Amino acid sequence: MGVKNLWDILESCKKTIPLHHLQNKRMCIDLSCWMVQLQNVSKYHNCMKEKVYLKGLFHRLRALIALNCSLIFVTDGSIPAIKLSTYRRRLNSGIEVNRDETNLQNLASLKRNMGSEFSRMIKEAKVLGMALGIPCLDGMEEAEAQCALLNSESHCDGCFTSDSDVFLFGAKTVYRDICLGDGGYVICYEMKDIERQLGFGRNSLIALALLLGSDYSHGVRGFGPESACQIVKSAGDNGVLQKIAYGGLPILKKTKGSKKQQKLHEPNDKENSLPNEFDVNGSKHKSQGNEQFLQVIDAYIRPKCHSADSEAVYRVLANHPFQRIKFQEVCAEMFEWPPEKTDEYILPKIAERDLRRFAKLRSTSSELGVELPLYEIPVKCPVSGIIKQRKLLGVECFEVSWEHLDGLETSIVPADLLESACPEKILEFKAKIAQQKKQKCHKPRPRKLKSELSLAELDLKLQQLLLEINSENGSNPKTNPLSSRAVTSENGRVAIAVDLLDDESLVDQELDIESSCNASMPSSSANTSVAEKEVIDLLSPSPRHPTVTKFKHFGCQHIDVIDLSESDAEASPEHDRKARELRQFIANVRK
């Protein structure tokens, strides 16, 4: 609870801060307050049986772990003697302690019932936290008082609690609520805003507790938030406690069923000159002041806590590692999760935390003037490479691969985090993408023929075309001595081998003609025998005039053996078409 109506008074100082603003901060958590919040959400029996409150705690913790928040659990110790009346009233035990009739100094603090259901929930939360590397500091009395001490001594940057009296114990920054939806946010109050906007310091807030009531006092009857604020502002933060404790304010004490007013005695000049943090246990002023007020003031100013330099505080401030195997066992026992599901929940957050720690290291080094390249930093970057660029819920992200993180290969991290931790990785990724696009654009595309012909098919095609050309010239394909075939030369060019005198009958006829004219033929001309074969390269420019092969013999008539083409005047249009088709076909084969 804390101070009655104090949250309403501080409403104008409330700030809603995005959750990611808590990155790299040290936080202490009033564990009892969190468990009360989560218990109210899971108040039904089935929810309690399924430990929904513990799952809610886990999701809060994993969100803060991903932001590299150093967390400390703080639990309540014994119940302060001054709070026993309030504690018993909340338990509805019917036992009420009358503060006016009981000397609080003779009462001892009461140990809490460690066997209750709520105490069991606290134990489960501590086991879960220890497996995640979150230490726990067991307070001597009030957990919010221990959190305030750690915050005021700069051992942590803020406190998570819903007890408003944490400001009275000296806290500087308080986070009342946390929400993980809509990107996540926290409700924050800062003491500097309260002092600037409302004019209330720590002493003024204690004075409000005396007037309005708190866990330690019933308050003064007849005072509401507005009237109490007016009284405290008029007294000022420096002397308000002295004036209230020693009757230095004209407080109107209203009793039930009566309008009689009683004015307390005015303070003298000596009492107004008391210091800000006076010794309320001093015998000089104790006899003159209100005994109850003095005890409440002393409980807020000097709470029973572990000192900032104690061994217990140093122990929780040390670094505690994440215990993966232990955490898998805890989740298997509490939530019945298999190890794979547990790793899926927590390992990406642990990896993101390590990356934020690396980014913080580089930022700190840069502030100190040490600028080292990525691959010269003694601490190795946890990211081994970038796989692809993504957008998650409208936020630019990267899917990265992790190095030396057992159980996790890839996960998605925000782009701004990767930019602050290792911008060199982003440059390498962009250069790789640009190179791949360049290679893709300049990659030659193979030209495919509409029909891929084998060498035998090519030979058949050429023979058919040549026979058609010869038939247009009036040649008989049965008796035409022309014979051809497709061959490939050593330089890879396609040519046509034409057998000029391949027919046996033509050879016999040639021999007969040659023997009949042998007597009149010179011996030197006997060498002009039959030309066996001739290879014609159809890819080379063909001559305009026809090529004619003749046998010449003395005293014999000239015999035309082959006439591939006639003159332009005698060539038919069909002959020209076939010739063009042949040349086009050879050109396609060459390409």
Side-chain angles (χ1 to χ4, degrees):
M1 171 187 162
V3 180
K4 186 179 180 180
N5 300 121
L6 184 56
W7 288 125
D8 297 332
I9 296 173
L10 303 179
E11 180 69 20
S12 60
C13 302
K14 180 177 70 174
K15 296 185 296 185
T16 301
I17 300 178
L19 188 63
H20 66 84
H21 284 193
L22 300 183
Q23 64 175 341
N24 302 326
K25 292 186 180 295
R26 298 166 297 172
M27 298 291 183
C28 53
I29 300 172
D30 186 347
L31 188 57
S32 297
C33 287
W34 268 22
M35 297 309 294
V36 168
Q37 294 175 354
L38 297 168
Q39 185 184 28
N40 293 334
V41 175
S42 58
K43 57 185 177 181
Y44 298 105
H45 177 71
N46 290 337
C47 295
M48 295 296 294
K49 185 177 180 180
E50 296 175 0
K51 300 186 185 298
V52 177
Y53 60 91
L54 208 58
K55 293 180 181 178
L57 175 65
F58 166 65
H59 289 298
R60 285 187 178 186
L61 296 177
R62 65 192 288 266
L64 295 175
I65 286 174
L67 295 173
N68 190 30
C69 290
S70 300
L71 304 177
I72 299 175
F73 283 162
V74 181
T75 59
D76 289 312
S78 301
I79 304 171
I82 197 173
K83 193 179 178 180
L84 286 177
S85 174
T86 303
Y87 180 72
R88 288 169 177 165
R89 184 173 66 251
R90 290 176 180 174
L91 292 178
N92 296 322
S93 61
I95 302 175
E96 186 75 24
V97 177
N98 190 341
R99 298 180 189 274
D100 297 333
E101 298 177 357
T102 305
N103 186 358
L104 296 178
Q105 289 184 344
N106 295 330
L107 293 176
S109 59
L110 180 65
K111 291 186 177 181
R112 300 180 186 271
N113 182 11
M114 303 306 294
S116 65
E117 182 180 6
F118 187 76
S119 297
R120 179 181 56 81
M121 293 168 58
I122 295 294
K123 291 179 181 178
E124 292 175 342
K126 291 169 65 175
V127 171
L128 184 70
M130 287 300 297
L132 288 171
I134 302 174
C136 182
L137 177 61
D138 295 323
M140 299 178 68
E141 288 186 348
E142 298 279 53
E144 63 267 27
Q146 188 68 63
C147 290
L149 177 65
L150 295 176
N151 186 209
S152 62
E153 295 293 333
S154 300
H155 286 314
C156 66
D157 299 311
C159 316
F160 273 105
T161 183
S162 57
D163 285 336
S164 58
D165 53 1
V166 66
F167 295 105
L168 283 63
F169 291 115
K172 302 298 181 184
T173 303
V174 176
Y175 300 96
R176 182 183 179 187
D177 295 316
I178 178 172
C179 178
L180 302 182
D182 299 330
Y185 64 88
V186 290
I187 304 300
C188 176
Y189 299 82
E190 294 194 70
M191 195 63 192
K192 61 182 181 181
D193 295 333
I194 298 173
E195 294 174 349
R196 184 180 67 255
Q197 298 181 27
L198 302 178
F200 293 151
R202 182 182 178 185
N203 292 338
S204 298
L205 297 180
I206 295 176
L208 289 176
L210 295 175
L211 299 178
L212 297 175
S214 66
D215 292 342
Y216 295 169
S217 66
H218 293 293
V220 178
R221 186 181 298 275
F223 276 92
E226 295 183 1
S227 58
C229 289
Q230 292 177 358
I231 291 293
V232 171
K233 284 183 179 180
S234 64
D237 188 68
N238 292 330
V240 64
L241 292 182
Q242 294 91 327
K243 292 179 180 180
I244 292 178
Y246 296 104
L249 292 177
I251 301 175
L252 300 178
K253 187 175 183 181
K254 298 180 181 181
T255 57
K256 184 178 180 180
S258 175
K259 295 184 179 180
K260 185 181 296 183
Q261 298 178 353
Q262 181 180 0
K263 182 179 292 186
L264 299 180
H265 62 276
E266 296 291 338
N268 52 37
D269 295 338
K270 189 173 182 180
E271 291 171 347
N272 285 333
S273 62
L274 291 175
N276 184 22
E277 292 189 3
F278 58 91
D279 186 3
V280 295
N281 291 326
S283 58
K284 182 176 182 180
H285 300 291
K286 185 175 179 180
S287 59
Q288 302 176 5
N290 187 306
E291 180 74 17
Q292 179 183 347
F293 284 171
L294 291 176
Q295 290 177 345
V296 173
I297 293 171
D298 186 63
Y300 282 125
I301 292 180
R302 296 179 182 84
K304 188 177 291 186
C305 301
H306 296 287
S307 62
D309 57 351
S310 64
E311 182 180 353
V313 172
Y314 284 138
R315 175 176 52 83
V316 298
L317 293 178
N319 187 25
H320 296 263
F322 164 65
Q323 306 176 39
R324 181 190 174 199
I325 303 301
K326 177 65 176 178
F327 185 69
Q328 289 177 350
E329 295 174 354
V330 170
C331 291
E333 179 182 355
M334 295 182 177
F335 310 137
E336 298 181 355
W337 288 351
E340 296 79 11
K341 184 176 181 179
T342 303
D343 289 345
E344 181 181 355
Y345 271 125
I346 196 60
L347 289 185
K349 303 301 180 181
I350 296 295
E352 186 174 341
R353 180 196 66 181
D354 294 343
L355 187 59
R356 291 186 188 276
R357 287 181 177 178
F358 185 79
K360 184 180 179 181
L361 174 64
R362 297 199 72 178
S363 176
T364 304
S365 301
S366 179
E367 292 175 358
L368 296 176
V370 181
E371 297 284 352
L372 292 177
L374 178 65
Y375 300 101
E376 294 182 7
I377 299 177
V379 180
K380 195 170 185 179
C381 179
V383 174
S384 61
I386 300 177
I387 299 176
K388 63 177 65 175
Q389 192 170 4
R390 293 181 175 271
K391 182 172 286 189
L392 189 63
L393 299 177
V395 180
E396 294 293 337
C397 302
F398 286 103
E399 182 179 353
V400 301
S401 58
W402 302 97
E403 192 168 6
H404 304 304
L405 187 58
D406 189 22
L408 181 66
E409 294 182 358
T410 64
S411 68
I412 299 175
V413 297
D416 57 347
L417 171 59
L418 200 64
E419 178 69 29
S420 61
C422 46
E424 296 88 347
K425 297 287 185 179
I426 299 180
L427 295 177
E428 292 176 1
F429 173 72
K430 291 182 177 180
K432 180 181 178 182
I433 295 298
Q435 183 65 22
Q436 290 177 353
K437 290 182 178 180
K438 185 177 180 181
Q439 293 177 356
K440 186 176 181 180
C441 293
H442 291 80
K443 186 177 180 180
R445 296 182 178 179
R447 294 184 178 181
K448 295 183 179 180
L449 296 176
K450 294 183 179 180
S451 59
E452 297 181 357
L453 302 176
S454 63
L455 185 59
E457 293 173 344
L458 180 61
D459 186 20
L460 180 61
K461 182 70 174 178
L462 291 175
Q463 291 183 24
Q464 291 176 355
L465 289 174
L466 290 174
L467 291 175
E468 290 177 3
I469 294 173
N470 293 331
S471 64
E472 292 294 334
N473 292 331
S475 302
N476 189 355
K478 295 182 179 180
T479 60
N480 194 348
L482 178 62
S483 175
S484 66
R485 70 177 185 277
V487 297
T488 304
S489 61
E490 296 180 356
N491 57 2
R493 301 182 63 183
V494 178
I496 300 176
V498 182
D499 296 335
L500 297 179
L501 298 176
D502 195 34
D503 191 82
E504 296 180 357
S505 60
L506 183 61
V507 173
D508 296 336
Q509 182 181 359
E510 177 190 356
L511 294 176
D512 293 338
I513 296 172
E514 183 176 344
S515 59
S516 62
C517 300
N518 192 21
S520 60
M521 204 172 83
S523 61
S524 60
S525 59
N527 295 331
T528 58
S529 61
V530 181
E532 295 179 357
K533 295 183 180 180
E534 181 180 355
V535 178
I536 302 175
D537 189 356
L538 295 181
L539 297 182
S540 60
S542 59
R544 187 61 178 173
H545 300 286
T547 303
V548 180
T549 304
K550 296 183 179 182
F551 288 94
K552 295 182 181 180
H553 300 277
F554 291 97
C556 298
Q557 187 180 359
H558 294 281
I559 301 174
D560 296 336
V561 180
I562 297 176
D563 190 358
L564 290 179
S565 63
E566 298 176 352
S567 64
D568 296 337
E570 297 176 354
S572 64
E574 186 66 20
H575 180 275
D576 292 339
R577 185 184 66 79
K578 293 294 183 178
R580 285 195 302 270
E581 184 178 353
L582 177 61
R583 292 191 180 92
Q584 183 64 32
F585 178 78
I586 297 301
N588 292 338
V589 172
R590 182 180 184 184
K591 290 180 180 180

